[in-house]
Amino acid sequence: MAKPVAGLCPWWNGAGGPKKSFSDGDLVALAFWVAPTGQAIKRQFRPSRLTKTQLTIHDRPMALPSLNGMRAFEAAARLGSIKDAAEELHLTPSAISRHIRALERNLGQDLFERGFRQITPTIRGSYYARSLSEAFEAIWRATDDVSLADGPSHGRTQRVRVLCVPAVLNLWLADRLPNFRKLHPTVELEISTSGKRANFDLAIVDEFVYKAGPALTLLIPLVLTPVCAPSLLDGPVPLRSPADLVNHHLIHECESMRWKRWLEQEGVLDTTPKSSTTLDDCTLIMREAINGAGIALADTMMAQDLLQQGKLVAPFQARHTYPAGIYLHQRRSIGNKPGTGLFQDWLLSEVDDHKRVMAIA
């Protein structure tokens, strides 16, 4: 049933009636809240045309659904996964599902379209999820502001927990951390290479594009190019064009698809190398390449420092993007935790510098 909205009718009193009397010549603006659409609409009436019922209806506050249900739904919609929402809220997936079902019953409609191991918010579900995210963010922000009333400027240590994939940490981030510590001595970093993302303030992860959920922000796409020791350029096996690569020992990361895809993009039809090695550790792959054991297919973040130091060279200018990237995951509940903001801003600045140096658009 449509109800007058007190906030939009300044002459409407809290007792359920008008604050003043009107003559038949007056036009009275009534705003009605239409529950199914969640929108306010305005109508104008002559007082003589308003029934007693219309003038005695008063706005009753709507009972809010369970906070647990709203938190479960918001997390699942934001992360795109019941399992990830369960990890973030420290509940079981079945508990998250129960909370969401209870919320849907309370609202009288489905908020998700459910498929096999997949959930997609409905149109109304997407709107509701965005609104809840903004509301929770405001609550966390306000709480953080209050808890930091004395400010971080008094020398208080700010601890930030960071999860980072080993390749990025060992081959790129580690050598840049001293500069961050110099700029922000009151921020204490706790960095791990394993664990659940939900247990960290920030997580730097690698992910395939098709798996990247809405909670991930792309830092940089995976741009691949062959790299090798300088000595291979003057070796007995030539490296005049990408087609010559198959005559060398190629080093694979976990599987051979990356090399195969890259060679095909260069027009090489026979992508089977003379010999190859498959390794699952990017740092070890780079060491093998430095030692002249073969040619590796490296992304720009893995190779930047080693190329600048002259330990590796890129025999060809050709680069190709692989459908994966380095992403940043921010735990929603950190609000505006200042140390986290400082590290995130610094990281984004370093990534921008990397893109500029490596000429990545």
Short mmCIF file of all heavy atoms in Angstrom, two decimals, residues 263-294:
data_model
loop_
_atom_site.label_atom_id
_atom_site.label_comp_id
_atom_site.label_asym_id
_atom_site.label_seq_id
_atom_site.Cartn_x
_atom_site.Cartn_y
_atom_site.Cartn_z
N LEU A 263 53.97 -18.03 -29.62
CA LEU A 263 54.57 -18.35 -30.92
C LEU A 263 53.54 -18.28 -32.05
O LEU A 263 53.83 -17.78 -33.14
CB LEU A 263 55.22 -19.73 -30.86
CG LEU A 263 56.50 -19.84 -30.01
CD1 LEU A 263 56.88 -21.30 -29.78
CD2 LEU A 263 57.65 -19.08 -30.67
N GLU A 264 52.34 -18.78 -31.78
CA GLU A 264 51.28 -18.72 -32.79
C GLU A 264 50.92 -17.27 -33.11
O GLU A 264 50.62 -16.94 -34.27
CB GLU A 264 50.06 -19.49 -32.31
CG GLU A 264 50.26 -21.01 -32.32
CD GLU A 264 49.06 -21.75 -31.76
OE1 GLU A 264 48.20 -21.09 -31.13
OE2 GLU A 264 48.98 -22.98 -31.92
N GLN A 265 50.92 -16.42 -32.10
CA GLN A 265 50.63 -15.00 -32.33
C GLN A 265 51.71 -14.34 -33.18
O GLN A 265 51.46 -13.31 -33.82
CB GLN A 265 50.48 -14.26 -30.99
CG GLN A 265 49.20 -14.62 -30.25
CD GLN A 265 49.14 -14.02 -28.87
OE1 GLN A 265 50.11 -14.08 -28.10
NE2 GLN A 265 48.01 -13.43 -28.52
N GLU A 266 52.90 -14.94 -33.20
CA GLU A 266 53.99 -14.43 -34.04
C GLU A 266 54.04 -15.12 -35.39
O GLU A 266 54.97 -14.93 -36.17
CB GLU A 266 55.33 -14.59 -33.31
CG GLU A 266 55.60 -13.54 -32.26
CD GLU A 266 55.65 -12.14 -32.85
OE1 GLU A 266 56.49 -11.89 -33.74
OE2 GLU A 266 54.83 -11.29 -32.44
N GLY A 267 53.04 -15.97 -35.65
CA GLY A 267 52.96 -16.63 -36.95
C GLY A 267 53.81 -17.87 -37.09
O GLY A 267 54.02 -18.36 -38.21
N VAL A 268 54.30 -18.40 -35.96
CA VAL A 268 55.11 -19.62 -36.00
C VAL A 268 54.16 -20.82 -35.99
O VAL A 268 53.40 -21.01 -35.04
CB VAL A 268 56.07 -19.68 -34.79
CG1 VAL A 268 56.90 -20.97 -34.84
CG2 VAL A 268 56.98 -18.46 -34.77
N LEU A 269 54.20 -21.62 -37.04
CA LEU A 269 53.27 -22.74 -37.17
C LEU A 269 53.70 -23.96 -36.37
O LEU A 269 52.88 -24.59 -35.70
CB LEU A 269 53.12 -23.11 -38.66
CG LEU A 269 52.58 -21.99 -39.56
CD1 LEU A 269 52.48 -22.48 -41.00
CD2 LEU A 269 51.22 -21.50 -39.06
N ASP A 270 54.98 -24.29 -36.43
CA ASP A 270 55.50 -25.42 -35.66
C ASP A 270 56.00 -24.89 -34.33
O ASP A 270 57.08 -24.31 -34.22
CB ASP A 270 56.63 -26.11 -36.42
CG ASP A 270 57.13 -27.35 -35.68
OD1 ASP A 270 56.53 -27.71 -34.64
OD2 ASP A 270 58.13 -27.94 -36.14
N THR A 271 55.21 -25.07 -33.27
CA THR A 271 55.53 -24.50 -31.96
C THR A 271 56.22 -25.48 -31.03
O THR A 271 56.43 -25.19 -29.86
CB THR A 271 54.26 -23.98 -31.28
OG1 THR A 271 53.36 -25.08 -31.06
CG2 THR A 271 53.58 -22.91 -32.12
N THR A 272 56.58 -26.66 -31.55
CA THR A 272 57.23 -27.66 -30.71
C THR A 272 58.73 -27.37 -30.62
O THR A 272 59.43 -27.38 -31.64
CB THR A 272 57.03 -29.08 -31.27
OG1 THR A 272 55.63 -29.33 -31.43
CG2 THR A 272 57.64 -30.11 -30.34
N PRO A 273 59.25 -27.06 -29.40
CA PRO A 273 60.67 -26.72 -29.29
C PRO A 273 61.57 -27.94 -29.37
O PRO A 273 61.12 -29.08 -29.20
CB PRO A 273 60.75 -26.09 -27.90
CG PRO A 273 59.66 -26.77 -27.12
CD PRO A 273 58.55 -27.00 -28.11
N LYS A 274 62.83 -27.69 -29.64
CA LYS A 274 63.82 -28.78 -29.69
C LYS A 274 63.89 -29.49 -28.35
O LYS A 274 63.98 -30.72 -28.28
CB LYS A 274 65.19 -28.19 -30.06
CG LYS A 274 66.31 -29.21 -30.14
CD LYS A 274 67.64 -28.53 -30.35
CE LYS A 274 68.08 -27.77 -29.11
NZ LYS A 274 69.46 -27.23 -29.22
N SER A 275 63.83 -28.73 -27.28
CA SER A 275 63.83 -29.29 -25.92
C SER A 275 63.20 -28.25 -24.99
O SER A 275 63.11 -27.07 -25.33
CB SER A 275 65.25 -29.62 -25.45
OG SER A 275 66.07 -28.46 -25.44
N SER A 276 62.78 -28.70 -23.83
CA SER A 276 62.13 -27.77 -22.91
C SER A 276 62.21 -28.28 -21.47
O SER A 276 62.48 -29.46 -21.23
CB SER A 276 60.67 -27.56 -23.29
OG SER A 276 59.94 -28.78 -23.15
N THR A 277 61.95 -27.36 -20.55
CA THR A 277 61.87 -27.66 -19.12
C THR A 277 60.62 -26.99 -18.58
O THR A 277 60.30 -25.86 -18.96
CB THR A 277 63.10 -27.14 -18.36
OG1 THR A 277 64.28 -27.74 -18.88
CG2 THR A 277 62.99 -27.43 -16.86
N THR A 278 59.91 -27.66 -17.69
CA THR A 278 58.73 -27.08 -17.06
C THR A 278 58.99 -26.89 -15.57
O THR A 278 59.32 -27.86 -14.87
CB THR A 278 57.48 -27.97 -17.26
OG1 THR A 278 57.25 -28.14 -18.67
CG2 THR A 278 56.26 -27.34 -16.62
N LEU A 279 58.86 -25.66 -15.10
CA LEU A 279 59.08 -25.32 -13.70
C LEU A 279 57.86 -24.59 -13.16
O LEU A 279 57.14 -23.93 -13.93
CB LEU A 279 60.32 -24.45 -13.54
CG LEU A 279 61.64 -25.03 -14.09
CD1 LEU A 279 62.74 -23.98 -14.05
CD2 LEU A 279 62.05 -26.26 -13.29
N ASP A 280 57.62 -24.68 -11.85
CA ASP A 280 56.45 -24.00 -11.29
C ASP A 280 56.82 -22.83 -10.39
O ASP A 280 55.97 -22.29 -9.68
CB ASP A 280 55.58 -25.00 -10.50
CG ASP A 280 56.29 -25.56 -9.28
OD1 ASP A 280 57.48 -25.24 -9.07
OD2 ASP A 280 55.65 -26.31 -8.52
N ASP A 281 58.09 -22.43 -10.41
CA ASP A 281 58.55 -21.32 -9.58
C ASP A 281 59.15 -20.24 -10.48
O ASP A 281 60.15 -20.48 -11.16
CB ASP A 281 59.59 -21.83 -8.58
CG ASP A 281 60.03 -20.76 -7.60
OD1 ASP A 281 60.47 -19.68 -8.04
OD2 ASP A 281 59.95 -21.01 -6.38
N CYS A 282 58.53 -19.06 -10.50
CA CYS A 282 58.98 -17.99 -11.40
C CYS A 282 60.39 -17.52 -11.07
O CYS A 282 61.16 -17.16 -11.98
CB CYS A 282 58.00 -16.82 -11.34
SG CYS A 282 56.40 -17.17 -12.04
N THR A 283 60.73 -17.48 -9.80
CA THR A 283 62.07 -17.05 -9.41
C THR A 283 63.11 -18.04 -9.95
O THR A 283 64.17 -17.63 -10.45
CB THR A 283 62.18 -16.96 -7.88
OG1 THR A 283 61.17 -16.07 -7.39
CG2 THR A 283 63.54 -16.43 -7.46
N LEU A 284 62.81 -19.33 -9.86
CA LEU A 284 63.71 -20.35 -10.39
C LEU A 284 63.81 -20.24 -11.91
O LEU A 284 64.90 -20.41 -12.49
CB LEU A 284 63.21 -21.74 -9.99
CG LEU A 284 64.01 -22.94 -10.49
CD1 LEU A 284 65.47 -22.85 -10.04
CD2 LEU A 284 63.38 -24.24 -10.01
N ILE A 285 62.71 -19.94 -12.56
CA ILE A 285 62.72 -19.78 -14.02
C ILE A 285 63.66 -18.65 -14.43
O ILE A 285 64.44 -18.77 -15.37
CB ILE A 285 61.29 -19.51 -14.53
CG1 ILE A 285 60.43 -20.78 -14.40
CG2 ILE A 285 61.31 -19.03 -15.98
CD1 ILE A 285 58.97 -20.56 -14.73
N MET A 286 63.59 -17.53 -13.71
CA MET A 286 64.46 -16.40 -14.02
C MET A 286 65.93 -16.74 -13.76
O MET A 286 66.81 -16.33 -14.52
CB MET A 286 64.04 -15.18 -13.19
CG MET A 286 62.69 -14.58 -13.57
SD MET A 286 62.64 -13.89 -15.25
CE MET A 286 61.93 -15.24 -16.16
N ARG A 287 66.21 -17.51 -12.71
CA ARG A 287 67.59 -17.93 -12.42
C ARG A 287 68.12 -18.84 -13.53
O ARG A 287 69.28 -18.73 -13.95
CB ARG A 287 67.66 -18.63 -11.07
CG ARG A 287 67.47 -17.70 -9.87
CD ARG A 287 67.55 -18.48 -8.56
NE ARG A 287 68.86 -19.08 -8.39
CZ ARG A 287 69.90 -18.47 -7.82
NH1 ARG A 287 69.78 -17.22 -7.41
NH2 ARG A 287 71.06 -19.10 -7.67
N GLU A 288 67.27 -19.73 -14.00
CA GLU A 288 67.66 -20.61 -15.10
C GLU A 288 67.99 -19.80 -16.36
O GLU A 288 68.97 -20.07 -17.05
CB GLU A 288 66.54 -21.61 -15.40
CG GLU A 288 66.39 -22.73 -14.39
CD GLU A 288 67.45 -23.80 -14.59
OE1 GLU A 288 67.25 -24.72 -15.39
OE2 GLU A 288 68.52 -23.70 -13.93
N ALA A 289 67.16 -18.80 -16.62
CA ALA A 289 67.41 -17.97 -17.80
C ALA A 289 68.70 -17.17 -17.65
O ALA A 289 69.49 -17.05 -18.59
CB ALA A 289 66.22 -17.03 -18.02
N ILE A 290 68.93 -16.61 -16.46
CA ILE A 290 70.16 -15.84 -16.20
C ILE A 290 71.39 -16.71 -16.40
O ILE A 290 72.43 -16.27 -16.94
CB ILE A 290 70.13 -15.25 -14.77
CG1 ILE A 290 69.05 -14.16 -14.66
CG2 ILE A 290 71.49 -14.69 -14.37
CD1 ILE A 290 68.80 -13.68 -13.25
N ASN A 291 71.29 -17.96 -15.98
CA ASN A 291 72.43 -18.89 -16.09
C ASN A 291 72.62 -19.44 -17.49
O ASN A 291 73.50 -20.28 -17.71
CB ASN A 291 72.25 -20.04 -15.09
CG ASN A 291 72.36 -19.58 -13.65
OD1 ASN A 291 73.04 -18.58 -13.36
ND2 ASN A 291 71.70 -20.28 -12.74
N GLY A 292 71.78 -19.02 -18.44
CA GLY A 292 71.94 -19.45 -19.82
C GLY A 292 71.39 -20.82 -20.12
O GLY A 292 71.73 -21.42 -21.15
N ALA A 293 70.51 -21.33 -19.23
CA ALA A 293 69.97 -22.68 -19.42
C ALA A 293 68.92 -22.74 -20.52
O ALA A 293 68.61 -23.82 -21.04
CB ALA A 293 69.38 -23.19 -18.11
N GLY A 294 68.34 -21.60 -20.89
CA GLY A 294 67.31 -21.60 -21.92
C GLY A 294 66.65 -20.24 -22.01
O GLY A 294 67.11 -19.25 -21.42
#
